[in-house]
Amino acid sequence: MRLSKLPLTTFKEVPAEAEVASHQLMLRAGLIRRLASGLFTWMPLGLRVLRKVETVVREEMDRAGAHELAMPAVQPAELWQESGRWDVYGPLLLRMRDRHEREFCFGPTHEEVITDIARRELKSYKQLPVNYYQIQTKFRDEIRPRFGLMRAREFLMKDAYSFHIDQESLQQTYDLMADTYCNIFDRLGLSYKSVDADSGEIGGAQSREFHVLADSGEDALAYTDNEDFAMNVELAPAAAPAGERPAPHASMAKVATPDARTIDQVCQQLAVDPRQTVKTLLVEAATDAGDDALVALVLRGDHSLNPIKAAGVPGVATPLSLASSERIAAVMGAQPGSIGPVGSNIRVIADYSAAHCADFVCGANEDGQHLTGVNWGRDLPEPEVADLRNVVAGDMSPGGNPIAIARGIEVGHIFQLGDKYSTSMDAAVLDSNGRKTAMLMGCYGIGVSRIVAAAIEQNHDEKGIIWPEPMAPFDIALLALNGRKSEEVRSSADKLYETLQAAGYAVLCDDRDARPGVMFADADLLGIPHQVVVGDRGLANGVVEYRNRRSGDTAEVNIADIGAHIAAQQAP
Ligand code: ATP
Ligand code: MG
């Protein structure tokens, strides 16, 4: 492609609306344009990258024996009522009515539609297993669309659904999909990790997520170096502290902590370690515990609450709902920064680590006051205990190995759904004994458009994007410096453009009437792996300059050898 023919607008300034590197760089490089919150147009260069990702995904799914189909994006409400999700999916689901007042939604996922296909098409165990997939636009009315394509409202997903006669067959396809996902992320040149995960609202038993590793990732992943353990922190169990709780030494005393609202402020004022403090969080109780009931969750000061674990404790509302400051003040008689479990008459559940503390500091249920030297069993009843916190680096895995934490961007998620949809929607086949049996189901998602953003999060520098070669919109950026003035530069660049394309490379030729500085800056911003610079000075000696975008290495190369030089630079 010749840049002079493509209306490409790039800019130097960091767009104010973009918080993360991928969003900033995709806007600056002209890969995407925003239409409205969470809605983006893929501009020509961006679309080339998206199509490359799509191609790798499609090839690997086909290789795994999955069958591509294309389902409608708009789905009738009746199917969702059958599965029971019309009422539980909530505001994430974009609902609409047609001219006959019939209700529909724009699909956020396609379990219902594919189950409807399966119950019509599949009649016998002899037709199983089967794995269908599509690469299609989804809509989720995310509460906080942000980070550009990372959490968009409209996005491209590869979703696959498999049907089985028994668990063994489901397990086989699930394992095959896990391997297929590894092949896909390997082929795309991404550094990634797979972890055990929560199944969320899609439901089912076993699930595994695939994350592109990047510091900006929204998810925290707990893993051990010897790979005996890898789990999303949402799910990772925190081991209870070993040994007996230390005996009490101090006596309980009330101390003033004026204006201290956070654990850090309390610790500073009292000169104590956060591990010597506990914090109390009030959450709504499940409705069967009576209207308006609250539960106090107590964690050690240095730990953070895990909302999924907490919501799983019997009697706590699911999803977890934190009490408002007003409710807290009304129930505890103090602002959130000064509340504690001593003398309260609501249910107290302590995290294992908090229950293991002795002589600790907690809020006194009086504004600006804390208690020191507090001990369970002496100053307040022994608490109920549960695992309520996020694991941290240095915690032990169930196998007794130290846990490390990495940040990740979820780009894929595979689930064993079991008979959740086939039972509610009556998708059954005849088994080998002629008996009607509900099929078992698996589902497998990849965030195709999110992969593009995640790749940039993982691969960029202050100058711009550094595409992994398999995802780059072009292999080579050919810069014709002052080509509008120099006939020699123009004809040499034209010749190279032809020969490099004939050698199988996708070449973006910068033949614009632009200053060299602009060409270099744009080439770096666009992140094309190999740059070939044609200029008068080099041509006088029969050479062009080669620049590697990732390593920054440069070399003077004879014009005739540039193809071979690039081939030698390419990742194997
Ligand atoms: P998340 O936890 O990030 O909201 P999810 O678990 O709801 O995602 P799945 O239902 O597992 O998502 O969807 C499959 C894949 O689709 C995800 O792994 C992710 O890569 C992608 N995806 C989900 N939501 C979005 C979104 N709002 N924007 C872009 N990609 C998304
Ligand atoms: Mg998911």
Side-chain angles (χ1 to χ4, degrees):
M1 183 184 292
R2 290 182 182 276
L3 256 189
S4 60
K5 303 272 191 291
L6 175 75
L8 173 71
T9 313
T10 59
F11 37 94
K12 283 205 199 79
E13 306 75 34
V14 175
E17 79 224 54
E19 292 169 70
V20 296
S22 57
H23 190 192
Q24 294 169 356
L25 290 169
M26 291 185 85
L27 290 171
R28 287 184 53 206
L31 305 185
I32 56 167
R33 291 292 178 241
R34 175 184 186 274
L35 174 65
S37 172
L39 301 179
F40 296 90
T41 296
W42 286 90
M43 299 300 280
L45 288 185
L47 190 62
R48 285 181 73 98
V49 179
L50 187 70
R51 291 285 180 254
K52 284 190 131 176
V53 176
E54 215 182 301
T55 300
V56 169
V57 170
R58 181 174 282 114
E59 285 176 5
E60 292 301 322
M61 290 302 293
D62 290 344
R63 194 208 301 275
H67 304 287
E68 185 168 7
L69 45 59
M71 291 180 261
V74 175
Q75 310 180 10
E78 291 80 44
L79 280 184
W80 285 70
Q81 283 153 354
E82 260 191 80
S83 74
R85 285 207 293 183
W86 187 253
D87 294 326
V88 300
Y89 211 84
L92 213 57
L93 192 64
L94 178 65
R95 297 158 205 254
M96 51 204 159
R97 284 170 194 274
D98 70 4
R99 64 171 80 210
H100 307 295
E101 293 295 311
R102 292 194 200 101
E103 287 188 294
F104 291 85
C105 64
F106 195 110
T109 177
H110 277 67
E111 283 78 11
E112 282 79 1
V113 180
I114 199 73
T115 305
D116 183 59
I117 292 287
R119 69 183 169 186
R120 293 166 193 273
E121 300 294 319
L122 306 173
K123 300 292 175 206
S124 156
Y125 74 99
K126 290 181 190 154
Q127 295 170 287
L128 304 182
V130 61
N131 192 359
Y132 295 114
Y133 80 99
Q134 62 175 349
I135 298 178
Q136 192 229 26
T137 299
K138 301 283 187 260
F139 192 96
R140 294 184 183 180
D141 202 355
E142 298 277 356
I143 186 165
R144 276 224 300 156
R146 56 186 181 148
F147 305 155
L149 291 165
M150 206 90 87
R151 187 164 297 284
R153 294 199 294 170
E154 192 178 294
F155 59 97
L156 192 64
M157 193 200 284
K158 185 283 295 173
D159 45 330
Y161 307 88
S162 66
F163 295 87
H164 308 270
I165 191 68
D166 57 22
Q167 176 61 31
E168 189 188 344
S169 166
L170 170 57
Q171 185 69 44
Q172 268 174 13
T173 298
Y174 179 83
D175 292 342
L176 176 63
M177 283 295 106
D179 289 344
T180 299
Y181 279 29
C182 291
N183 295 341
I184 289 170
F185 300 120
D186 283 336
R187 274 188 64 187
L188 291 173
L190 296 168
S191 158
Y192 66 95
K193 199 174 260 311
S194 76
V195 296
D196 292 331
D198 183 50
S199 295
E201 45 210 323
I202 288 192
Q206 221 184 326
S207 98
R208 203 157 176 86
E209 288 169 354
F210 291 75
H211 290 261
V212 165
L213 299 174
D215 293 338
S216 57
E218 285 188 294
D219 283 88
L221 315 176
Y223 67 97
T224 57
D225 279 335
N226 73 348
E227 294 181 354
D228 76 331
F229 176 81
M231 252 187 207
N232 194 309
V233 162
E234 287 178 349
L235 207 66
E244 291 278 295
R245 181 168 69 207
H249 286 293
S251 41
M252 186 165 80
K254 196 190 289 180
V255 293
T257 49
D259 300 325
R261 287 194 179 79
T262 65
I263 287 285
D264 283 349
Q265 290 165 339
V266 171
C267 288
Q268 225 165 27
Q269 287 191 14
L270 302 180
V272 293
D273 192 286
R275 282 176 295 189
Q276 211 45 56
T277 70
V278 304
K279 57 186 170 195
T280 305
L281 300 154
L282 291 197
V283 299
E284 308 285 342
T287 41
D288 56 10
D291 278 352
D292 281 2
L294 294 178
V295 177
L297 305 178
V298 178
L299 291 131
R300 217 170 68 183
D302 60 321
H303 286 149
S304 63
L305 178 71
N306 180 310
I308 291 185
K309 290 181 185 177
V313 175
V316 173
T318 311
L320 199 68
S321 166
L322 293 174
S324 66
S325 300
E326 296 73 45
R327 295 250 346 248
I328 294 173
V331 174
M332 306 298 277
Q335 290 301 312
S338 297
I339 62 170
V342 179
S344 92
N345 49 17
I346 62 176
R347 182 177 169 206
V348 172
I349 306 171
D351 177 69
Y352 288 115
S353 298
H356 201 258
C357 288
D359 298 335
F360 59 83
V361 173
C362 64
N365 296 325
E366 239 176 84
D367 282 339
Q369 302 286 322
H370 276 74
L371 299 171
T372 62
V374 182
N375 285 279
W376 300 108
R378 185 191 74 182
D379 306 318
L380 73 172
E382 288 290 348
E384 278 178 64
V385 289
D387 177 8
L388 299 176
R389 69 176 175 95
N390 290 319
V391 292
V392 292
D395 278 333
M396 288 298 159
S397 74
N401 294 298
I403 287 177
I405 306 285
R407 308 275 336 162
I409 301 166
E410 183 194 319
V411 289
H413 198 167
I414 60 175
F415 301 79
Q416 292 193 12
L417 297 173
D419 65 354
K420 180 179 153 103
Y421 295 90
S422 39
T423 297
S424 60
M425 295 181 63
D426 195 22
V429 292
L430 297 181
D431 69 12
S432 55
N433 299 316
R435 273 193 301 256
K436 203 176 144 194
T437 322
M439 289 182 273
L440 296 183
M441 234 176 121
C443 84
Y444 318 95
I446 285 190
V448 176
S449 49
R450 185 182 281 182
I451 286 177
V452 178
I456 297 176
E457 289 299 325
Q458 191 177 76
N459 298 279
H460 68 274
D461 63 12
E462 67 293 343
K463 293 183 192 149
I465 302 166
I466 307 176
W467 289 114
E469 293 198 25
M471 291 179 64
F474 290 90
D475 306 312
I476 299 171
L478 181 63
L479 278 50
L481 298 191
N482 294 316
R484 293 297 164 110
K485 296 194 190 100
S486 161
E487 163 61 31
E488 210 183 335
V489 166
R490 199 162 57 238
S491 67
S492 301
D494 283 351
K495 245 181 260 155
L496 271 178
Y497 184 54
E498 296 307 326
T499 41
L500 290 171
Q501 289 191 116
Y505 294 107
V507 184
L508 181 67
C509 179
D510 193 347
D511 57 349
R512 293 175 299 177
D513 185 10
R515 284 180 291 112
V518 171
M519 290 189 177
F520 286 125
D522 278 348
D524 284 345
L525 177 60
L526 289 174
I528 295 165
H530 307 281
Q531 299 174 5
V532 175
V533 185
V534 184
D536 274 321
R537 220 173 318 149
L539 289 180
N541 301 318
V543 298
V544 290
E545 188 185 20
Y546 168 80
R547 302 168 150 232
N548 188 290
R549 177 65 182 95
R550 188 173 289 274
S551 67
D553 291 347
T554 62
E556 302 231 299
V557 181
N558 284 327
I559 297 185
D561 300 334
I562 188 69
H565 187 81
I566 291 171
Q569 301 285 322
Q570 282 181 308

